[in-house]
Amino acid sequence: EKQLRVRPTKDLLEAVAAELHRRGMETLSPSTSAQVLWALAVFGFYPPELFWALLKRSSLCLHPSQSEREEAISQIWSATLAYASDLRGRNTSAVSDVHADVLESVPGLGHVRELLALQLTRPISSSSVHQDVSGRLESLGVPHVCEYMTADGFVLDLACPEDRLAIEVDGADHFVRTPDEAFPLVLDGATQFKQRLLRHAGWHVISIAEYEWKQLGTAESKLAYLAQKLSVSGLLARTKQPTV
């Protein structure tokens, strides 16, 4: 998949951290603290003093009266998971332990998992493109689950849990434009961040751009497109022949 390669330098990130320290955490609203915490985690940047200060400040977002509570819950969860993943690599047990320890160490964050789980219990409607992709996967003989929730609290558009394969159908709001004529559209930072965390957890991620899918037109071309995407996972070698 096409990904955005440009990222801020370490010097720039350190300058941002220094400026936040100069201004003081009290100048940031709790929701802004959660956003900054998440943004720094996207770049894998966790200056210890700032990380914990932002985490404590953002915990104030979890009060039921806070209007941006749901977004903050997701941002805090993802940022702390990224911190644990970057610290412990692909050791899922160690990552889970560190993640739990981080949340438990900050007053008010111990119930973030429960709050996130509550949000994810709400019904999710699959788009027509999701349903179309699901139908083509059935034609290829690929068993899968729609709107699957992982142990780390991420909802996948389509998943083959036994094979740790995530298939994400990315609409226009998952892309940003670039001046590069060869790659005019690339996945945005939030989508790349989610994919990074999934890969750390041992998932192979396939991204299907909605605009590409809609351009395919025929059933045959859609099956060929999917087969090419799935070829790296080895799934097709274990499934039946495709039917149109």
Side-chain angles (χ1 to χ4, degrees), residues 6-13 43:
V6 178
R7 56 179 294 132
T9 65
K10 184 178 179 181
D11 287 345
L12 176 58
L13 291 171
F43 298 113

Side-chain angles (χ1 to χ4, degrees), residues 10-228:
K10 184 178 179 181
D11 287 345
L12 176 58
L13 291 171
E14 289 178 346
V16 169
E19 179 62 16
L20 288 171
H21 275 301
R22 187 188 69 79
R23 295 187 181 188
M25 288 298 102
E26 66 279 0
T27 64
L28 299 179
S29 69
S31 60
T32 298
S33 297
Q35 292 168 0
V36 173
L37 180 78
W38 177 88
L40 294 178
V42 167
F43 298 113
F45 186 63
Y46 315 98
E49 187 177 346
L50 178 62
F51 174 80
W52 290 104
L54 287 169
L55 197 55
K56 290 175 182 177
R57 182 71 174 164
S58 62
S59 68
L60 300 176
C61 289
L62 302 190
H63 191 278
S65 65
Q66 294 295 310
S67 61
E68 299 179 11
R69 181 175 183 237
E70 291 193 5
E71 183 179 13
I73 288 170
S74 177
Q75 290 170 337
I76 292 169
W77 177 264
S78 296
T80 51
L81 180 59
Y83 171 79
S85 297
D86 289 340
L87 188 66
R88 296 301 183 190
R90 295 181 181 273
N91 185 330
T92 55
S93 177
V95 168
S96 180
D97 289 344
V98 171
H99 192 201
D101 288 345
V102 169
L103 294 175
E104 289 293 340
S105 67
V106 179
L109 292 186
H111 62 306
V112 166
R113 178 184 288 273
E114 290 74 19
L115 293 174
L116 182 68
L118 184 62
Q119 289 181 191
L120 296 176
T121 58
R122 297 171 185 168
I124 301 174
S125 299
S126 297
S127 71
S128 59
V129 175
H130 292 183
Q131 295 171 15
D132 192 15
V133 173
S134 177
R136 306 305 168 186
L137 286 172
E138 290 178 0
S139 296
L140 289 170
V142 177
H144 61 281
V145 180
C146 294
E147 308 299 348
Y148 178 82
M149 188 172 72
T150 73
D152 288 324
F154 293 110
V155 176
L156 308 178
D157 294 331
L158 305 134
C160 304
E162 292 185 2
D163 294 282
R164 304 287 284 179
L165 176 65
I167 303 172
E168 294 281 83
V169 180
D170 295 313
D173 57 343
H174 289 272
F175 290 88
V176 293
R177 293 192 175 277
T178 78
D180 188 342
E181 293 184 1
F183 302 108
L185 291 175
V186 296
L187 291 172
D188 64 18
T191 303
Q192 291 188 44
F193 186 41
K194 178 183 178 181
Q195 291 190 5
R196 179 179 119 210
L197 293 177
L198 287 169
R199 291 189 176 102
H200 272 186
W203 287 85
H204 179 78
V205 183
I206 291 176
S207 175
I208 295 177
E210 189 174 294
Y211 72 90
E212 289 183 349
W213 185 262
K214 289 181 176 180
Q215 292 172 354
L216 294 173
T218 67
E220 291 87 350
S221 60
K222 290 177 179 179
L223 289 173
Y225 176 91
L226 268 183
Q228 189 278 326

